[in-house]
Amino acid sequence: MSVEQSGAEIWRRDFVSMGCPCSIQIEVQARERAEAAFDAAIAELDRLERKYSHYRDDSLLAQWCAAAGSGEALEVDAESADLLDLASLLHEQSGGAFDISAGALARLWAGPRETLPNPAEIAQAMATGGWQHLIWQRPWLRLQQAGMRLDLGSLVKEYAADRAAAICREQGLLHGIVELGGDLSVIGPHANGAPWRAGVRHPRLPAALAAIELLEGGLATSGDYERGLLLDGKRYGHIVDPRTGWPVTGFASVSVLAPNCLVAGAAATLAMLLGVDAGAAYLRELGLPHLTVSADGRIGGTVAWVDPDPPRL
Amino acid sequence: MALRPNPLLAQLLAASAGLVSSAAVPAEPVAADRSISYRHGDYDEDALAQAPLDGSDRRYRVRTEQFRLLTPAGEGASLSVDLTHEVMSGSSPWFSVPDANGQPLQVMSGASIHDRRSELGVGYQRALAGDREFTVSASYSAEDDYHATAVGLEWSRPLSAAIELGLGASFSHDRIDPTDAAEFGRIAQATKNTWSASAGLSFILDRSSLLQAGLQLTRSSGFLSDPYKRFFAGDRVLNEARPDQRLQGSLLLRYRRALIERDAALHLDGRYSIDNWGVHSHTVEAHWYQTLAEDWRVIPGFRYYTQSESSFYAPFASVGELGRYYSSDYRLATGGGVSASLDLRRQFGAWDWVIGLERHRATDALGFGSGNDPGRVSYTQIQAGFDFRFD
């Protein structure tokens, strides 16, 4: 963890949370106020990681999964209930492609591996999932399938970015930006009212694809480059279609700008899952500014916020 | 972010609203927008419960027009200009006399008062380094018989991430030239000075609540009597006489809580005041800010007030009882009241329309024993106007 001052009054802290490089920048005169906000925001991120990590055995998520197949109905806290409500809506909006019950599948493909999983492993992971086995009637959650693993990973990081930004605002800090592994949540514009500039990285090149100016809200990118497997020149990302058991192949990355990072991330993940045609149609219908790069390198989306001269493959 | 409304996005935003909301307690930054506001107010006092012995029973009515301009004034600074014009009419309690049972009977001022008051106020607010902020203000108010000049200074700074300190000081110099002074033996001209100092701390309690605690000390000196109030003392009617110094201390508590799931906010305010005239008072206020669909906001409110009488208050006295100071002003008597209010706001783009009604009912004092000053006042107040923000 390092703390440095960049610019006249912009304080920055870099750290690692949820397995990603993260940073918070705050523009304020008094360093101790920025430091207090960094500490409070990181404490909130730690809380969310402890609660929702699917790598930890002591997380709330792990407790739910342990009860899967027992027939027990779990009473869920308000925050988790809101996340489950959102997950239900995304399941519905995606026609079933977005499915948090497919955690075993996500784990199978995301885990460090050098070969493709064999069809039996995929079939076994798929068998533990299935939305029809997840009975959600707020505040009661019942996981009917033994071995079911929930995966809130596609929501929690973006939600955490928004929470970290909210914590800073609650402390009266109105100028700053939170970045969690490429997902951004704006605390507020620069003190002089100017927007923050952020780069969206190209999924295939070590370069920025676009420079975005952000005054408010969130920017999230979902891509096949973050974690995944490259075999014989073919890329297998970590975003898996629960209906096929295989990673999606249409888009290399989708970036979305939204009133908050949570919605931006949800929209980006849904578009990835829906594929090039249906995904682009979904983003157009949502009306959120977005930028897509398809697996074959074509750049699409609303061009208003794209650099006039993006790098080409 | 201007987004085209569509059901898909509306669903997503609604589903995320419980999780991520920027509706947490907002810090109030120096306003950078330019806006104008206008309010029309009509304050109307009820007729006396019991007909006065003499004079009109038509009490005070005040119609107020208020304009406010708020504009940026350079980097991190804003300037406000307030103009107020009031037209006052009606009569006011003059003194009271004992009836056959020794109960006070009100005598009202004979002629109906017609007066106008105009006030100009200017404020300059500026953000300083380290999130410090200061405001300077000045105002001048004039009516036929009364002129008031006031200046104020406020300053605030954060002590920690969750605590802010605010300090303030103000001074006012008032000059009174009573009308018909010679005819009624009133003082021909008098002045008073008022100094006030305040200190407060704001605590951010959690992501949706805020507590402010403050202390205020006010010292007034000079001619503190009301030159139009008389006092009945046996066989004579005298001009009331109050001490020429008053020291007042107040403790203020404010609590703000945003109820994000309900799209509402609760404001609770409490005030306890005590002074060296023997008056102590409590005020408790509650307001509920509820956002309804279509940019409507409804704000019901409730206020409870009670005070004890000053050491020199009496509705009347016999000559032998007369001390150095005496007043029968109902505002120094034991008394209290409850108010209910309802404000309605509707936003149309840059316009914010406001209409409000308040009903205040004087009661026998609650909490400090019973008062029976016949002059205690119930009133109805209506306010309507708009705020307009320039882009």
Side-chain angles (χ1 to χ4, degrees):
Chain A
M1 228 177 264
S2 75
V3 176
E4 60 182 287
Q5 187 183 5
S6 63
E9 296 173 11
I10 299 175
W11 304 93
R12 178 183 173 121
R13 191 183 286 184
D14 292 286
F15 56 98
V16 172
S17 180
M18 304 192 176
C20 311
C22 305
S23 72
I24 303 177
Q25 295 180 69
I26 289 174
E27 196 171 349
V28 67
Q29 188 71 34
R31 177 174 179 162
E32 58 272 27
R33 293 193 66 205
E35 295 294 338
F38 293 150
D39 291 343
I42 291 168
E44 176 71 354
L45 297 177
D46 290 347
R47 178 185 74 82
L48 290 170
E49 185 173 18
R50 278 196 305 277
K51 192 169 175 183
Y52 296 114
S53 169
H54 56 123
Y55 294 108
R56 295 175 65 125
D57 296 335
D58 57 347
S59 69
L60 178 68
L61 210 61
Q63 287 173 32
W64 294 349
C65 296
S70 69
E72 186 190 349
L74 306 160
E75 188 171 3
V76 161
D77 65 283
E79 182 178 50
S80 303
D82 285 342
L83 283 169
L84 290 169
D85 280 347
L86 179 61
S88 297
L89 175 71
L90 294 170
H91 180 76
E92 188 189 311
Q93 287 196 349
S94 65
F98 184 93
D99 190 344
I100 56 168
S101 74
L105 209 47
R107 226 171 132 96
L108 179 68
W109 283 97
R113 58 183 316 125
E114 281 154 12
T115 57
L116 291 177
N118 65 50
E121 284 176 308
I122 294 173
Q124 193 187 358
M126 284 176 78
T128 63
W131 192 262
Q132 72 278 15
H133 302 307
L134 184 159
I135 312 297
W136 169 236
Q137 281 179 314
R138 188 180 177 117
W140 300 103
L141 175 68
R142 197 190 304 264
L143 305 179
Q144 291 186 316
Q145 185 68 43
M148 183 184 277
R149 303 197 73 97
L150 293 190
D151 178 17
L152 291 173
S154 54
L155 298 177
V156 167
K157 182 160 68 95
E158 290 81 356
Y159 169 54
D162 286 330
R163 281 296 305 144
I167 294 274
C168 296
R169 280 193 294 270
E170 283 157 20
Q171 302 215 354
L173 299 164
L174 302 177
H175 313 293
I177 190 163
V178 175
E179 176 179 359
L180 299 192
D183 292 337
L184 303 171
S185 184
V186 177
I187 299 165
H190 282 287
N192 63 7
W196 293 90
R197 269 178 84 82
V200 172
R201 65 158 283 190
H202 194 287
R204 298 286 181 265
L205 298 173
L209 176 64
I212 315 295
E213 295 201 325
L214 291 152
L215 276 170
E216 58 181 1
L219 170 71
T221 300
S222 185
D224 66 4
Y225 55 88
E226 300 164 62
R227 297 185 298 268
L229 184 62
L230 189 63
L231 266 183
D232 303 328
K234 192 165 163 50
R235 188 176 298 270
Y236 301 91
H238 72 290
I239 298 174
V240 182
D241 187 331
R243 298 164 300 187
T244 63
W246 284 78
V248 295
T249 52
F251 282 126
S253 79
V254 177
S255 301
V256 178
L257 197 58
N260 58 58
C261 189
L262 178 58
V263 163
T269 302
L270 239 69
M272 284 293 288
L273 284 163
L274 292 173
V276 171
D277 294 336
Y282 174 75
L283 291 170
R284 276 197 303 275
E285 195 180 342
L286 269 184
L288 294 171
H290 60 276
L291 181 62
T292 59
V293 180
S294 64
D296 55 11
R298 280 175 300 144
I299 295 169
T302 48
V303 291
W305 48 293
V306 179
D307 254 5
D309 189 22
R312 299 284 166 195
L313 276 176
Chain B
M1 192 179 297
L3 295 171
R4 185 169 45 84
N6 66 81
L8 214 55
L9 180 60
Q11 279 180 335
L12 264 188
L13 291 174
S16 71
L19 290 161
V20 281
S21 173
S22 47
V25 176
E28 284 177 26
V30 173
D33 290 344
R34 180 173 290 123
S35 66
I36 50 169
S37 300
Y38 164 72
R39 295 286 186 278
H40 169 79
D42 192 336
Y43 166 89
D44 196 4
E45 296 182 347
D46 290 10
L48 291 174
Q50 190 184 4
L53 183 66
D54 194 15
S56 163
D57 72 345
R58 184 77 182 94
R59 292 193 69 169
Y60 240 43
R61 183 165 181 195
V62 184
R63 269 163 282 198
T64 308
E65 316 299 332
Q66 276 179 294
F67 297 90
R68 163 167 256 232
L69 170 71
L70 189 66
T71 182
E75 186 95 341
S78 68
L79 183 73
S80 65
V81 179
D82 287 277
L83 275 173
T84 306
H85 185 69
E86 286 180 344
V87 178
M88 297 155 282
S89 63
S91 56
S92 63
W94 205 10
F95 59 95
S96 41
V97 298
D99 69 5
N101 303 315
Q103 292 301 307
L105 263 178
Q106 191 67 56
V107 178
M108 299 292 282
S109 59
S112 176
I113 301 156
H114 283 282
D115 203 355
R116 290 165 187 280
R117 186 179 78 86
S118 297
E119 181 175 336
L120 170 68
V122 180
Y124 176 75
Q125 187 176 33
R126 189 180 162 84
L128 303 173
D131 288 326
R132 291 169 171 84
E133 205 172 277
F134 81 89
T135 306
V136 281
S137 57
S139 69
Y140 178 71
S141 162
E143 55 192 300
D144 273 357
D145 57 353
Y146 207 96
H147 297 264
T149 311
V151 287
L153 184 65
E154 282 171 49
W155 178 86
S156 70
R157 67 156 291 183
L159 294 182
S160 73
I163 304 177
E164 187 175 80
L165 170 71
L167 298 172
S170 66
F171 172 73
S172 151
H173 175 75
D174 301 7
R175 199 189 79 213
I176 182 159
D177 313 88
T179 50
D180 305 324
E183 184 186 343
F184 289 95
R186 293 168 183 151
I187 195 165
Q189 194 189 77
T191 59
K192 75 169 176 187
N193 291 328
T194 305
W195 284 96
S196 184
S198 63
L201 287 171
S202 300
F203 304 89
I204 296 170
L205 301 179
D206 58 41
R207 78 186 194 117
S208 55
S209 52
L210 177 82
L211 181 72
Q212 291 183 314
L215 270 174
Q216 188 172 32
L217 281 176
T218 303
R219 182 180 179 275
S220 310
S221 60
F223 187 74
L224 305 181
S225 301
D226 183 333
Y228 300 106
K229 298 281 185 212
R230 308 275 277 174
F231 187 82
F232 180 86
D235 54 352
R236 289 178 295 167
V237 178
L238 308 166
N239 289 323
E240 70 157 31
R242 305 185 190 187
D244 57 9
Q245 285 215 3
R246 186 179 196 180
L247 199 60
Q248 205 171 16
S250 302
L251 172 69
L252 299 102
L253 282 176
R254 301 170 76 198
Y255 177 72
R256 303 284 178 265
R257 181 169 182 84
L259 293 118
I260 296 157
E261 323 77 62
R262 290 209 169 86
D263 222 350
L266 173 69
H267 291 193
L268 291 176
D269 294 274
R271 181 190 176 97
Y272 177 72
S273 254
I274 187 161
D275 71 13
N276 64 345
W277 288 6
V279 179
H280 46 134
S281 67
H282 285 296
T283 312
V284 179
E285 258 182 273
H287 287 92
W288 181 266
Y289 289 74
Q290 180 67 55
T291 303
L292 304 173
E294 299 281 325
D295 306 323
W296 282 95
R297 277 227 281 185
V298 57
I299 307 152
F302 174 81
R303 189 172 75 241
Y304 163 69
Y305 174 80
T306 183
Q307 74 167 39
S308 69
E309 66 186 25
S310 89
S311 53
F312 54 87
Y313 165 84
F316 44 75
S318 63
V319 180
E321 291 171 336
L322 210 57
R324 185 174 173 197
Y325 303 115
Y326 38 85
S327 172
S328 59
D329 189 337
Y330 69 93
R331 290 167 296 187
L332 296 174
T334 296
V338 287
S339 297
S341 65
L342 188 69
D343 285 15
L344 215 53
R345 286 169 175 258
R346 169 87 206 256
Q347 199 188 325
F348 290 99
W351 295 86
D352 213 353
W353 294 89
V354 187
I355 187 163
L357 175 74
E358 181 190 348
R359 174 71 193 150
H360 174 86
R361 193 166 164 75
T363 58
D364 285 344
L366 308 144
F368 285 124
S370 69
N372 63 348
D373 190 285
R376 63 176 188 251
V377 65
S378 297
Y379 63 81
T380 305
Q381 183 160 269
I382 298 169
Q383 203 179 54
F386 64 80
D387 302 321
F388 177 79
R389 288 178 309 282
F390 297 90
D391 280 334

